Amino acid sequence: MASPLAVSTPGPTPGTSRGGIEFDVVVLGAGLNSLNVTNAFHAAYGMRCLTVMRTPVAMNERTVTSAHLAIGAGASDEELKDALVQLAHDKEVKRPTLLLTNADSFVAFLDTFREELEEHYIIAQVDSTTLAKLADKAQFQETCAELGIPTVPTRIVDFAHYGTDDFNAPASLPWAFPVIGKPANTAEYSHVSFPGKKKVFVIESQGEYDNLVRALGEAGFTGRFLFQELIEGDDTSEYSITGYRSRTGGVTLTCAAQVLLGEHTPDALGRPAAMLTGPHTRIVEQFEKLLDHVDYVGFANVDLKVDSKSGTAYFLELNPRLGRNNYYVTAAGGSYPEHVVADFIDNAPLARVRAEDQHLYSILPTWLVKRYVTEPELRAQLAAAVRAHGVDNPYRYAPEGTWMKGFALASGFRQVQKFRKYYPKATKTGF
């Protein structure tokens, strides 16, 4: 057997379920995606997870909520799988171990190697058939249409046929510019590189549309790309719902939040940075209806946008994971670790929980958020949440040491600089 992998010291520590069973948690991936998960498990059980990453990221190395293991930037998926198997073999005490991820590329990885990894880990992730149906934004729209759930008017272009007579990119789009462009499958898109690549494109003209189609095709992209009508509304018209549906067939946890301000750098456009949780019953019920319809199991996150004119809530996409900013669920009292642990460790799902208290989740300075929130009623709700509960910033998780608290200050300062450069004042469209 290979020599033990070099896990950081101090190492991981187990949690104990409500049923009295000790268990471990391995989180796959780096950055805030993973930090929010290890924070939540630490808050729920006082445990230290193990974060496994290819490339070291300081926040995951310095957090008190997790030990870490970096296996190398150039590690292949096969090598990553082998490292996870070796980790399981090297454990001195064999306990049930949840293997979780909060990144699209690793969701696909776990699905690919599920059979081998499930010999050593509990993978609380939706099955491959449902995953393929919902992780792809185009198929997600088709599923929503079956349920009468509104989705944004979209043209789907299949780049597998680029350069052939079957290529279906329209010469022009049926909506006024600007329009939105984004990949149907972000994991697939991550393997393509070309100048000007973005997570989400705001296309301002016919020329920009033509250039993007050409760039995607010439870069060798073979997936499907979505071109969508721009729904009017700034960042505050966006919403997020996170939930858990158990193996017994019931949604046991939901939490919804309104975005107050999102990031605006080209590589992070559309990524929320400040959110206000609260009761959003109508869209939560639609979310539950969707999960029940496909017999979903595990964590799910849906992004929505509400048309500022009609009030229609458009479902944008479903992520088969918690979502990068899932600390808003923890902030509102929705202890999602307890739900997956009850379901997969104790085999006893918890009673239904809706986390609806108003809390401000933010990785930004509060004064900056207030500057961009201009609607009086929403400003009042924001102020009331801060008065009642303070600000829930994952970098300021109370048990963290001085390094993370310093990182919170530095990160906030960098964010201010980014907003000054890319989004100096609020606009009606958020662009």
Side-chain angles (χ1 to χ4, degrees):
M1 186 183 296
S3 59
L5 295 167
V7 175
S8 64
T9 302
T13 59
T16 302
S17 73
R18 290 189 177 190
I21 301 173
E22 286 196 337
F23 66 95
D24 294 315
V25 174
V26 174
V27 180
L28 188 56
L32 186 59
N33 297 55
S34 295
L35 180 68
N36 278 333
V37 176
T38 63
N39 279 359
F41 275 90
H42 187 273
Y45 299 103
M47 67 185 300
R48 282 171 59 86
C49 301
L50 174 63
T51 301
V52 177
M53 27 187 183
R54 285 191 169 96
T55 304
V57 173
M59 71 175 72
N60 304 113
E61 293 181 302
R62 304 298 289 268
T63 177
V64 301
T65 66
S66 180
H68 64 273
L69 168 66
I71 65 170
S76 67
D77 282 356
E78 192 76 29
E79 289 169 328
L80 176 58
K81 180 264 296 180
D82 290 342
L84 290 169
V85 171
Q86 185 187 335
L87 270 175
H89 281 305
D90 290 344
K91 287 177 65 174
E92 294 182 4
V93 180
K94 307 298 184 184
R95 288 182 287 259
T97 303
L98 287 166
L99 178 57
L100 304 174
T101 189
N102 197 23
D104 289 328
S105 59
F106 288 128
V107 168
F109 165 85
L110 290 180
D111 189 58
T112 299
F113 294 100
R114 181 190 289 266
E115 185 174 347
E116 292 166 90
L117 290 171
E118 280 189 328
E119 295 181 18
H120 312 280
Y121 297 95
I122 297 169
I123 300 177
Q125 180 172 291
V126 69
D127 65 87
S128 58
T129 302
T130 307
L131 178 64
K133 188 174 184 179
L134 294 176
D136 184 287
K137 295 178 181 64
Q139 292 192 49
F140 170 71
Q141 286 203 332
E142 295 167 6
T143 303
C144 287
E146 295 172 11
L147 298 172
I149 295 174
T151 56
V152 179
T154 301
R155 288 295 178 93
I156 303 169
V157 177
D158 189 349
F159 278 83
H161 301 294
Y162 183 79
T164 73
D165 291 340
D166 293 327
F167 185 51
N168 67 334
S172 60
L173 296 170
W175 318 292
F177 291 102
V179 299
I180 301 297
K182 59 186 179 183
N185 187 304
T186 53
E188 193 174 56
Y189 182 64
S190 67
H191 300 295
V192 178
S193 179
F194 58 92
K197 179 182 176 181
K198 298 178 182 178
K199 179 184 176 183
V200 178
F201 291 85
V202 182
I203 305 165
E204 300 283 357
S205 66
Q206 179 68 37
E208 287 188 15
Y209 167 71
D210 294 338
N211 290 339
L212 177 56
V213 170
R214 186 181 309 110
L216 287 163
E218 292 178 354
F221 180 63
T222 57
R224 296 193 290 177
F225 207 83
L226 311 185
F227 295 96
Q228 298 180 323
E229 182 179 8
L230 177 63
I231 303 302
E232 289 195 19
D234 64 6
D235 291 5
T236 63
S237 66
E238 299 169 10
Y239 291 76
S240 174
I241 309 172
T242 297
Y244 185 83
R245 189 173 187 272
S246 75
R247 291 182 292 171
T248 58
V251 177
T252 62
L253 172 68
T254 55
C255 184
Q258 181 176 5
V259 177
L260 301 181
L261 188 58
E263 297 189 45
H264 283 263
T265 57
D267 61 339
L269 186 65
R271 184 185 288 172
M275 311 170 78
L276 186 67
T277 60
H280 299 289
T281 305
R282 179 169 60 94
I283 58 175
V284 167
E285 288 176 349
Q286 289 179 312
F287 173 72
E288 293 175 345
K289 181 180 178 182
L290 174 62
L291 297 189
D292 287 338
H293 177 72
V294 299
D295 197 19
Y296 195 94
V297 174
F299 294 115
N301 169 258
V302 165
D303 295 325
L304 307 92
K305 187 165 187 179
V306 176
D307 190 315
S308 59
K309 289 184 176 179
S310 68
T312 301
Y314 293 98
F315 277 51
L316 302 179
E317 61 182 350
L318 184 145
N319 299 303
R321 52 188 178 87
L322 284 156
R324 180 175 186 266
N325 297 288
N326 66 80
Y327 197 69
Y328 75 76
V329 184
T330 303
S335 181
Y336 61 76
E338 295 184 20
H339 291 261
V340 67
V341 168
D343 194 15
F344 280 86
I345 304 296
D346 288 336
N347 293 310
L350 296 179
R352 176 75 171 83
V353 174
R354 280 185 176 175
E356 297 181 332
D357 288 348
Q358 283 198 314
H359 285 253
L360 173 63
Y361 160 84
S362 179
I363 59 172
L364 306 173
T366 305
W367 66 263
L368 182 68
V369 179
K370 290 180 177 178
R371 176 181 170 184
Y372 285 86
V373 177
T374 58
E375 200 276 316
E377 183 177 346
L378 188 55
R379 284 179 64 88
Q381 292 178 26
L382 166 60
V386 173
R387 284 195 303 271
H389 306 292
V391 180
D392 291 281
N393 183 330
Y395 302 137
R396 296 183 183 276
Y397 177 52
E400 293 285 14
T402 56
W403 186 91
M404 194 68 77
K405 291 176 173 60
F407 180 83
L409 289 172
S411 175
F413 177 73
R414 287 193 298 270
Q415 288 284 5
V416 171
Q417 291 179 311
K418 291 176 182 178
F419 275 91
R420 285 175 176 168
K421 180 177 181 180
Y422 293 104
Y423 192 52
K425 63 179 180 179
T427 66
K428 292 182 178 181
T429 63
F431 298 111

